[in-house]
Amino acid sequence: MNYTSSVNGSSSINITTQANSTVVPSVTNVTGSTISGLSSTSTLSPTSTTNLNTKLSAPYPPTTAGLGGTPTTSLDVPITSVFLFLFIVGAIAHMIIFKLNMKHGTKFVLSVVLFGFCMARITACTMRLVWSTQRSNIPVAIAAQILVQVGVIILFIINLIFAQRILRAVHPLWAWRKPFSVAFKVYYASIILMLIAVIVSSIQSFFALSHNTRRIDRDVQLVGGTYFAMVAFMPIPILLVAYLIRQQTPVEKFGSGRFRTKVTTLVFSSGLLTLGAAFRAGTNFLPRPIKDPAWYHSKACFYLFNFTIEIIIVYLYAIMRVDRRFVVPNGCHGPGDYSRGRMKDMDIPLADTLQGNDWRTSRIEERKNRYLSGNTLQGSEVTPSEKRKIWRDEWWRMPFEHLATPPEAVGVSMGRRTKTF
């Protein structure tokens, strides 16, 4: 049976369907007109075939409302520009921290990963700005939405790595065993595979008119959104397991600062990321027509549960100095490796932890070596005049050099090691 429908004389559809087939109820073109007149279900002759002829071509605009809707120049451009600037600052901060740490022999790769996340968000904000000026450009809209979806996965994986390090520190005897290491690697691989599936299904939904194909794509997106919400929450159960199971050995502390601060930072960031991921997953389960969005599709919800949460995490990790708190020695493969090279918790002035080849006085180098050798009780203490001389010679480098983490200072309390003069 043939159905023919036209819109303002500019588009026509000739559809011949099979029995019990489902016809897509509506397709919205790029100018906003709706091709209608098709019933949602039709029982027709079993010998008929499907033939679609239309002036509209793929990719097709969505028929359901999305989180944040279509961006506008009056509202989205100023807000997105602010987030773009904030992510640029975050990228610069984490790259500076990485470079300074590398200069002093400490390799904290996750700083580069955070830099990469900021760059991904810079790209997403840029594409959203382009979309706001080209609202009818469907490929640009697809790229902007995909970039918003995939970037946050980087933060999920970073938190899982932090949780794994804490678990190994609390239970080094069994958390370092091969089955647990393999389990984490398989989990990371499953996250990547699920991300690929969500990306493919999201793109395919813009190129398919088949009701069955769109149903499958939607199911994949629902499963992926729920799975990512669980991934965002997973560090919290890992921490619960670490503290509920009885410890067989003392905690193998790593990095700088109090161990409880590490846990608090991880719980806070995981909670925020879980809130955003759960909200996005929940909106997918409650679709609305594109012409009748709900309150949870508003722009305020989009920016709050996406960019706002993410920028908080980026700056939290820079301010809390996760490169110091979660750094571990290179080449860790088993119990005891986290404590390898760990200094005794000593009262070391800030200037004594600075590294470099251009120390202004030999007295500074002498004091540094005496502290590192553990002979803190031998020799005289730094006199007030020496403290003033250190400050006079090094004041211009302190705001920058103290950002780096010397390899021999891994494990020293941040509060004690950075005591002022």
Side-chain angles (χ1 to χ4, degrees):
M1 183 177 294
N2 295 331
Y3 284 80
T4 302
S5 176
S6 62
V7 180
N8 299 329
S10 61
S11 302
S12 64
I13 293 183
N14 183 20
I15 299 180
T16 305
T17 58
Q18 294 181 354
N20 299 324
S21 63
T22 302
V23 182
V24 178
S26 64
V27 178
T28 305
N29 63 15
V30 295
T31 61
S33 60
T34 303
I35 298 175
S36 58
L38 301 179
S39 60
S40 58
T41 57
S42 301
T43 303
L44 304 173
S45 170
T47 60
S48 58
T49 59
T50 301
N51 181 24
L52 179 63
N53 297 316
T54 179
K55 292 182 180 179
L56 293 176
S57 59
Y60 304 104
T63 58
T64 58
L67 184 60
T70 304
T72 60
T73 55
S74 59
L75 181 61
D76 290 85
V77 169
I79 298 176
T80 305
S81 299
V82 172
F83 282 108
L84 177 62
F85 172 77
L86 292 176
F87 281 117
I88 291 175
V89 174
I92 294 174
H94 284 287
M95 181 50 66
I96 289 177
I97 291 175
F98 175 76
K99 290 293 185 181
L100 289 174
N101 284 333
M102 286 296 295
K103 178 182 176 182
H104 296 280
T106 302
K107 186 178 181 181
F108 189 75
V109 181
L110 295 182
S111 292
V112 179
V113 178
L114 287 168
F115 169 80
F117 168 76
C118 292
M119 294 302 297
R121 276 298 176 253
I122 291 171
T123 306
C125 290
T126 303
M127 291 303 300
R128 190 165 178 83
L129 291 175
V130 174
W131 184 17
S132 65
T133 59
Q134 302 179 25
R135 303 181 64 185
S136 61
N137 194 323
I138 305 303
V140 172
I142 296 174
Q145 294 181 25
I146 294 299
L147 288 173
V148 170
Q149 293 179 17
V150 303
V152 71
I153 305 301
I154 298 176
L155 296 182
F156 297 166
I157 295 178
I158 290 176
N159 278 1
L160 284 173
I161 294 175
F162 289 164
Q164 184 182 17
R165 291 183 178 182
I166 291 178
L167 181 63
R168 286 174 170 176
V170 178
H171 299 283
L173 295 182
W174 56 264
W176 275 103
R177 292 183 179 178
K178 189 173 182 179
F180 288 94
S181 300
V182 173
F184 272 97
K185 292 178 181 178
V186 171
Y187 194 41
Y188 295 145
S190 69
I191 296 173
I192 302 301
L193 293 176
M194 182 60 69
L195 178 61
I196 295 174
V198 171
I199 293 175
V200 172
S201 63
S202 299
I203 296 176
Q204 182 177 253
S205 64
F206 288 93
F207 290 84
L209 288 176
S210 171
H211 177 76
N212 185 57
T213 301
R214 290 198 169 192
R215 179 188 59 80
I216 295 174
D217 293 337
R218 171 173 165 76
D219 291 342
V220 173
Q221 293 172 16
L222 291 177
V223 173
T226 305
Y227 190 77
F228 291 146
M230 295 174 59
V231 172
F233 181 72
M234 187 57 64
I236 297 179
I238 292 177
L239 294 178
L240 289 177
V241 170
Y243 281 93
L244 291 179
I245 297 179
R246 184 177 179 180
Q247 297 176 237
Q248 298 177 342
T249 59
V251 175
E252 188 178 337
K253 295 184 178 181
F254 60 91
S256 303
R258 293 184 176 182
F259 201 79
R260 69 181 67 177
T261 306
K262 298 179 177 64
V263 176
T264 304
T265 302
L266 182 56
V267 170
F268 177 77
S269 61
S270 299
L272 277 183
L273 293 175
T274 302
L275 176 63
F279 182 85
R280 291 189 294 271
T283 58
N284 291 334
F285 282 95
L286 301 172
R288 295 287 292 271
I290 194 170
K291 297 296 183 181
D292 185 27
W295 64 268
Y296 45 81
H297 293 122
S298 64
K299 298 182 185 300
C301 292
F302 172 82
Y303 288 109
L304 176 62
F305 291 99
N306 283 297
F307 293 161
T308 301
I309 289 179
E310 293 165 2
I311 203 66
I312 290 175
I313 301 300
V314 169
Y315 281 81
L316 172 70
Y317 285 170
I319 295 173
M320 295 299 296
R321 299 305 311 279
V322 294
D323 62 294
R324 286 184 178 181
R325 298 185 184 277
F326 289 92
V327 65
V328 296
N330 296 330
C332 294
H333 298 289
D337 286 350
Y338 281 176
S339 299
R340 174 167 47 85
R342 177 184 170 91
M343 291 180 60
K344 295 181 179 180
D345 192 359
M346 300 179 299
D347 186 11
I348 304 179
L350 174 60
D352 291 338
T353 65
L354 302 179
Q355 298 291 306
N357 298 322
D358 58 344
W359 292 88
R360 299 301 181 86
T361 62
S362 59
R363 179 61 174 167
I364 298 177
E365 185 70 25
E366 178 184 350
R367 290 288 299 159
K368 178 175 71 71
N369 292 333
R370 187 160 67 250
Y371 272 109
L372 297 179
S373 63
N375 299 324
T376 57
L377 300 179
Q378 299 179 9
S380 59
E381 294 295 330
V382 178
T383 63
S385 61
E386 289 177 328
K387 292 180 181 180
R388 288 192 294 269
K389 183 175 180 57
I390 292 174
W391 174 257
R392 184 173 60 254
D393 292 339
E394 302 295 330
W395 68 269
W396 61 275
R397 269 195 298 176
M398 288 182 182
F400 305 99
E401 291 291 338
H402 81 280
L403 292 175
T405 305
E408 69 274 8
V410 173
V412 179
S413 174
M414 292 179 65
R416 294 173 63 84
R417 182 162 54 88
T418 59
K419 182 178 293 185
T420 58
F421 299 133

